[in-house]
Amino acid sequence: MNLSRFPRRRYTQYATPIEKLERLSTILGGPNIYMKRDDLLGLAGGGNKTRKLEFLMADALSKGADTVITCGAVQSNHCRLTLAAAVKEGLRCRLVLEQRVPGSYDRFAGGNNFLFHLLGVEAVHVVEGDSDMMAEMQKVADALKAEGRKPYIIPGGGSNEIGALGYVACAQEMLQQLFEMDLDIDHIIVTSGSAGTHAGVLTGITGQNAPIPVTGIGINRKKGPQTEAVYDLCCKLSAKLGLKNAPAKEDIVVFDDYIGEGYSRPTKEMIEAVKLVARTEAILLDPVYTGKAMAGMMDLIRKGYFDGTRNILFLHTGGSPALYVYTKEFFAD
Ligand SMILES: *Cc1c(COP(=O)(O)O)cnc(C)c1O
């Protein structure tokens, strides 16, 4: 795959490490667990959106944008990192925040919300849950255009075929690293949200004829619609890349058993998983995405899902700033 033909900015100067989690692997008694540390990517606080933004911001700049607009939940990591990338590029940034949990927006909340303020967001537009986010962002864009400005809209999670190229690039990076480490990974586990990460990794692995199974742990949508979303993006990405070997629908594996009461709502298992990884490996997961994905992986290990495999790799997609708005839930336990 030739990714060099797509314009790209660089926000991380190195390949993120792949670490063996010795103590966690021993405690869980299953396969050896490795972790790809994408929580250590560049921009303020790191996390998976940094990779997507390398391609999205390059596209925005090539179109002469002076402002980026994106959207997310009230504690969105994607919004924090889009704003950070805009700061780096000298662009302005506006955020449209969706109150997926009614009344959840608090102008003075900590975590990512505090960072929106610290990084100097131009404006925050708050809308109710289930709003048409594309239409809401378009409204903001139209108002800016009327003032003679040049807005560029980045979809939620940065998950279109441009942003997802970041995870095709990550798949390439991982395969090269694993080769250098002389490490044969049997299974990859990812968090499956707006689908760019899952689709990008799967398309990248398949496109390089390295058919390592990828399991996605859902944190929002049910299995059916999540599988559709991942598949749709895999098809668009494969077309953009001109791939002969695109992922098939059967390659998309999604579990929706670890969502609990809904997006961003804490589960007991998430709290256990975040604590266990903190206390065995000193690695911070997050309450909305990787904590639930880790809870899923731990449950699947216990149920024997990975039996017969030696080495599995968990992709740590970041998100720790959100921990600081869930302190009550953690102290309560
Ligand atoms: C956005 C996000 C995800 C989900 O990635 P998608 O590409 O949206 O599926 C996982 N973890 C963290 C920390 C995130 O911010």
Side-chain angles (χ1 to χ4, degrees):
M1 286 179 308
N2 176 16
L3 292 176
S4 312
R5 58 200 166 105
F6 304 107
R8 178 187 182 194
R9 304 290 295 163
R10 284 305 289 259
Y11 300 131
T12 312
Q13 306 307 322
Y14 44 81
T16 57
I18 294 179
E19 274 177 41
K20 186 173 186 187
L21 307 186
E22 295 270 7
R23 286 167 47 75
L24 185 68
S25 305
T26 305
I27 283 182
L28 296 177
N32 297 315
I33 303 167
Y34 289 82
M35 184 180 271
K36 172 73 170 162
R37 297 290 308 273
D38 269 12
D39 55 319
L40 302 178
L41 286 165
L43 297 175
N48 62 343
K49 305 313 179 304
T50 297
R51 287 193 193 268
K52 302 179 187 184
L53 286 159
E54 293 192 334
F55 290 93
L56 289 162
M57 293 303 286
D59 191 50
L61 291 168
S62 77
K63 296 194 160 104
D66 58 23
T67 309
V68 291
I69 302 168
T70 197
C71 67
V74 295
Q75 279 291 335
S76 166
N77 300 302
H78 167 67
C79 286
R80 178 218 339 138
L81 288 167
T82 301
L83 170 58
V87 168
K88 265 291 203 221
E89 302 294 359
L91 305 187
R92 281 176 282 185
C93 176
R94 291 194 173 214
L95 301 174
V96 181
L97 301 184
E98 179 188 3
Q99 296 197 80
R100 294 187 191 173
V101 177
S104 56
Y105 180 71
D106 168 6
R107 198 161 94 78
F108 299 109
N112 284 308
N113 180 77
F114 168 64
L115 298 176
F116 302 159
H117 176 71
L118 182 65
L119 293 162
V121 67
E122 187 185 29
V124 170
H125 309 262
V126 182
V127 300
E128 291 313 308
D130 288 326
S131 298
D132 179 345
M133 297 305 280
M134 210 23 119
E136 296 292 341
M137 288 193 288
Q138 193 59 53
K139 277 192 221 161
V140 177
D142 290 344
L144 290 175
K145 276 189 209 152
E147 294 171 21
R149 286 174 52 180
K150 291 215 160 114
Y152 180 92
I153 295 179
I154 295 179
S159 285
N160 58 14
E161 61 271 39
I162 300 172
L165 286 174
Y167 271 88
V168 176
C170 177
Q172 278 194 340
E173 179 181 301
M174 279 196 290
L175 287 172
Q176 182 62 29
Q177 267 177 310
L178 293 171
F179 175 65
E180 282 162 16
M181 293 168 79
D182 206 2
L183 175 59
D184 189 13
I185 288 289
D186 303 299
H187 212 115
I188 296 174
I189 298 97
V190 301
T191 312
S192 201
S194 64
T197 305
H198 190 171
V201 168
L202 184 60
T203 304
I205 295 275
T206 312
Q208 295 194 91
N209 272 322
I212 304 171
V214 176
T215 290
I217 312 286
I219 46 78
N220 188 14
R221 283 179 285 220
K222 285 299 209 188
K223 183 183 167 118
Q226 186 63 18
T227 306
E228 285 304 322
V230 176
Y231 184 59
D232 181 56
L233 194 46
C234 285
C235 293
K236 288 182 181 149
L237 252 183
S238 304
K240 188 172 178 67
L241 289 159
L243 290 188
K244 294 200 181 73
N245 42 347
K249 195 131 183 208
E250 308 81 81
D251 299 335
I252 295 156
V253 179
V254 172
F255 284 87
D256 62 8
D257 312 65
Y258 307 103
I259 301 170
E261 280 172 34
Y263 176 82
S264 80
R265 305 240 191 212
T267 63
K268 193 170 127 281
E269 294 75 16
M270 174 281 286
I271 290 177
E272 272 167 23
V274 172
K275 281 189 172 172
L276 183 62
V277 173
R279 292 171 187 189
T280 52
E281 300 292 342
I283 291 172
L284 305 181
L285 297 173
D286 84 283
V288 180
Y289 297 94
T290 54
K292 286 184 179 174
M294 181 58 76
M297 189 187 86
M298 283 164 43
D299 184 58
L300 291 171
I301 290 174
R302 289 190 196 109
K303 287 181 174 154
Y305 178 75
F306 299 109
D307 283 3
T309 67
R310 284 188 52 223
N311 302 311
I312 63 176
L313 184 143
F314 180 90
L315 177 58
H316 188 344
T317 42
S320 66
L323 276 175
Y324 306 105
V325 285
Y326 286 79
T327 48
K328 276 202 194 80
E329 283 81 355
F330 281 86
F331 278 125
D333 190 54

